[in-house]
Amino acid sequence: MAGSLVLFLFFASGFAALTYQVIWQRLLTLATGLDLFAVTIIVAVFLAGIGLGNLVGGALADRLAPARRFVAFAAAEFVIAGFALISPWLLGDVLQSGAAASLGSRGALLVGGSLLLLPTFCMGVTLPLLARTVSDRLLDVPKWVGGLYGWNTLGAAAGAFLGTAFLVRNLGYGAALAWAAALNGTAGLVALGLAARTGPAPQVPADRAVAPDPPATGTTPVRNLFGLYFLSGFIALSLELIWFRVLGVTLKSTAFTFPLLLATYLAGVGAGSLLTRHAAASSREPLLVFLRLQSAIPLYAGLSVAVLIGLLGMAGDTGLSALQQYLASYEPIPFNFDFGALSRGQLALYLGLPALLVLLPTLLMGASFPYLQRAAHSSVATVGRRVGQLQAANVAGCVLGVVLTGAVFLNVLGTTGALRLLVLLAAPFLWLAASARRGRPGTAGLVALLLPAGVALLVPGQAAFWSALHGTGPERSIVAEDGTGLSVLVNDRSDFRGPTTVFVNGLGQSFVPFGGGHTTLGLVPALLHPAPVDVAVIGLGSGDTLYASSARPETRRIDSIEINGAQLPTLRELAARTGYGGLSRLLEDPRVQHITGDGRRHLLDATRRYDIIEADALRPTSAFAGNLYSREYFQLLRQRLKPGGLAVTWVPTPRTLETFRAVFPHVARFDFVLVGSNEPIVVVRDDIQRRARLPQVEQHFLAADLNLAPYVAALLRDYQPLPQGAPQNLAGYNTDLFPRDELGLP
């Protein structure tokens, strides 16, 4: 009974931990920015804290009496819960206000990351403590440690998805943290109850320190196991980054894409560990099984990608034409929270694709864990220390995988190049498996070298891969990728004459040539402001909004802040291929400063004030879109405006409108465009028409093949001053801690 209760405790602890990870990463990026460097450091620090906790927890576990292990576990859970309760204030308000805001993005990242070390350290402490507590015999180690790891990871999978899809969506980030903290607190109280019922440890004679169970054969020195598990962690987290990039593009990412994929990944790992924990306990060659399972992981990852692209190339013959059409579509399929009403297409998309790419290799990851425990342990007395050391080695590999793959391999090699490299890392495991069985690799050693190389060659190149995942071919697409993201431009013609669709991380964002809503969004403030000298535009897209914003001759500087560094190279190549005047003129404009980074963080760091600040149109349900539709973001805009300056946003929902009105004392609406200011907004028809007739302005739009007259007429026709006063509260505003529109609340 006590053993089952311990497994339940660890499931609850895992649920809370991944709920925290999703939310804390969100809170920190509000202060540090959402760029590649910030996200990489946050994940690395999270993992590093867990690794350090594993080391210390392992050392403590073998020294403490059983009752004291439960007390130590309870203390760790209480610390985690306490930090969770104050984290919205600590990671949100403190890091974005006062002296902390003056630290800049790197300083905020250093401080915020350091704060995370405390709760993540406590998370790492818990596994070695419980592993030592429940393992009485050597043959029980794989069963119990595998069970603890499996149930904790399944709890983490539930926390990753349910914590976001239900707790966060219905309660917001702050309340979701409180519920997760309650789980930690409950786990701590139950652990104290178990401590009170646990007697002293039985005295074990010195000659029985090594358990009498039969040892495993084919073992290797423990230091070698540390190295193997380090490499395993490196491959696992590197593949996680690649899978998230691929599936984020194919699913056309929303706020729930990352939690869904993370839950799939963790569910596979947890289920795999539970499936093999009993078989591993009786295995006579656990190291050989571990090596074979580990070698299969990168090999499957490469083969599954090759098969997927091959099937898409034969979509008409394989019944995947609907999927191919979706990949080529501009809009995402909405995430449906009524799971009983999910269509076959939604099931195939949200469950089938992740299962194809992620589920089997993560099952193999989890399945290998109990076999590693069987191979690594020779004494019950050192179980805690050995578990902690192995986990620390694995976490160190994970950290290196996050840093190298996220910051180097994706930049230099791209997704498919990085995947090929990881496939080749199957070779050490295959070689060692051949050596473990025969002493000398022989023919099996040759296979160990040739098989990964052959699979790596099957992985398609960048252009073929990404064009297929956009429902087209390499001759009709322009592709650029780096660690910050992916940009793909798609045209129906190989010469790129005619409309080109701009996809950013799989989502359709805009078109070239310019014209339509994006042009209106940039033009309204440009003609409305009497003298816009300094302008900031968050988001590049096709460059349409930015181009319209730069029409006035009075403008001296335009800061274009785009978080996806791959955008600019694709637009430059398109301009070189087509010679389109609007795009060429934009890219050659010396007033435009192209900045790769997080737009909100840029405004936090900025010392200059702007006459116009606007964000290019972004779907309110896109991942992290809430950062640009929240009350706190609009308050930041107010602080960064010059006297008479204009803040501009697209108004995709009534809630966005009311949130904007709650912040700005003066608001005007031009159809789907909202303009806010600290001073009254004066719209004089003659002044706007005069500015539009300036030769420089007319020439600017003619260069992009745009007729300015209809836009000016629509601007004057749609002008609607909104009255001052308390706006209608539509079930609450969008805030940083509760981005209701992003979460899809009606």
Side-chain angles (χ1 to χ4, degrees), residues 6 153 172 200 222 269 298 358 409 431 475 497 500 606:
V6 167
T153 309
V222 172
V269 174
V358 175
F409 295 157
W431 181 275
E475 70 283 355
R497 303 296 175 182
T500 296

Side-chain angles (χ1 to χ4, degrees), residues 316-328:
D317 300 323
T318 58
L320 293 178
S321 56
L323 175 60
Q324 190 177 54
Q325 291 171 8
Y326 170 72
L327 294 174

Side-chain angles (χ1 to χ4, degrees), residues 315-692:
D317 300 323
T318 58
L320 293 178
S321 56
L323 175 60
Q324 190 177 54
Q325 291 171 8
Y326 170 72
L327 294 174
S329 66
Y330 193 82
E331 297 289 344
I333 293 178
F335 190 90
N336 192 339
F337 289 92
D338 182 2
F339 292 98
L342 284 172
S343 68
R344 242 186 298 180
Q346 288 172 319
L347 285 171
L349 182 66
Y350 287 113
L351 301 179
L353 271 179
L356 170 67
L357 297 180
V358 175
L359 195 56
L360 180 57
T362 53
L363 279 168
L364 297 175
M365 291 178 191
S368 69
F369 180 82
Y371 287 99
L372 176 71
Q373 301 303 318
R374 174 75 173 113
H377 295 283
S378 58
S379 171
V380 173
T382 59
V383 164
R385 188 179 309 118
R386 190 63 51 80
V387 167
Q389 290 169 342
L390 283 169
Q391 290 303 104
N394 185 256
V395 167
C398 291
V399 171
L400 186 63
V402 167
V403 174
L404 273 185
T405 302
V408 179
F409 295 157
L410 289 177
N411 272 311
V412 177
L413 304 173
T415 293
T416 58
L419 180 57
R420 286 170 176 163
L421 178 62
L422 295 176
V423 169
L424 294 177
L425 291 181
F429 293 106
L430 288 171
W431 181 275
L432 290 172
S435 302
R437 173 53 67 89
R438 297 177 176 83
R440 294 184 178 180
T443 304
L446 184 61
V447 172
L449 298 176
L450 294 180
L451 181 59
V455 173
L457 290 174
L458 294 176
V459 176
Q462 283 283 94
F465 179 73
W466 287 122
S467 60
L469 291 185
H470 286 76
T472 188
E475 70 283 355
R476 294 186 298 277
S477 63
I478 298 172
V479 177
E481 180 187 18
D482 61 17
T484 64
L486 173 75
S487 175
V488 178
L489 311 186
V490 175
N491 198 296
D492 290 337
R493 297 165 51 118
S494 58
D495 61 4
F496 277 78
R497 303 296 175 182
T500 296
T501 306
V502 176
F503 289 93
V504 181
N505 294 329
L507 267 174
Q509 295 290 2
S510 48
F511 303 91
V512 179
F514 301 155
H518 290 278
T519 297
T520 300
L521 187 61
L523 180 64
V524 167
L527 293 183
L528 193 59
H529 197 285
V533 175
D534 294 299
V535 176
V537 179
I538 298 174
L540 177 59
S542 66
D544 193 342
T545 300
L546 177 62
Y547 187 80
S549 300
S550 63
R552 294 282 296 279
E554 297 93 334
T555 302
R556 295 289 175 264
R557 179 186 174 104
I558 308 155
D559 288 341
S560 170
I561 309 104
E562 170 57 55
I563 199 167
N564 187 338
Q567 277 293 99
L568 203 54
T570 55
L571 293 180
R572 284 177 174 148
E573 184 173 344
L574 181 65
R577 288 195 191 187
T578 64
Y580 173 56
L583 198 52
S584 299
R585 186 175 177 128
L586 173 66
L587 297 172
E588 295 166 2
D589 192 335
R591 300 172 302 166
V592 178
Q593 309 298 312
H594 291 285
I595 301 165
T596 300
D598 181 271
R600 179 167 167 160
R601 184 65 231 188
H602 174 82
L603 294 178
L604 277 170
D605 289 342
T607 55
R608 88 172 49 244
R609 298 292 185 266
Y610 294 97
D611 297 296
I612 297 172
I613 307 174
E614 67 177 297
D616 200 6
L618 184 67
R619 291 172 186 81
T621 54
S622 293
F624 292 96
N627 290 2
L628 299 182
Y629 291 117
S630 71
R631 182 175 56 198
E632 292 84 354
Y633 168 70
F634 293 143
Q635 289 169 342
L636 175 61
L637 296 190
R638 281 195 67 182
Q639 298 167 12
R640 292 295 179 264
L641 289 176
K642 291 181 183 179
L646 304 177
V648 187
T649 184
W650 179 42
V651 54
T653 68
R655 187 181 284 116
T656 300
L657 168 63
E658 299 306 324
T659 304
F660 194 82
R661 288 185 62 206
V663 172
F664 286 95
H666 305 280
V667 178
R669 181 169 185 172
F670 301 83
D671 192 14
F672 58 87
V673 180
L674 281 181
V675 179
S677 182
N678 294 314
E679 288 80 29
I681 299 171
V682 180
V683 177
V684 180
R685 176 181 296 268
D686 290 343
D687 287 346
I688 289 175
Q689 290 177 332
R690 176 181 54 79
R691 292 163 191 157

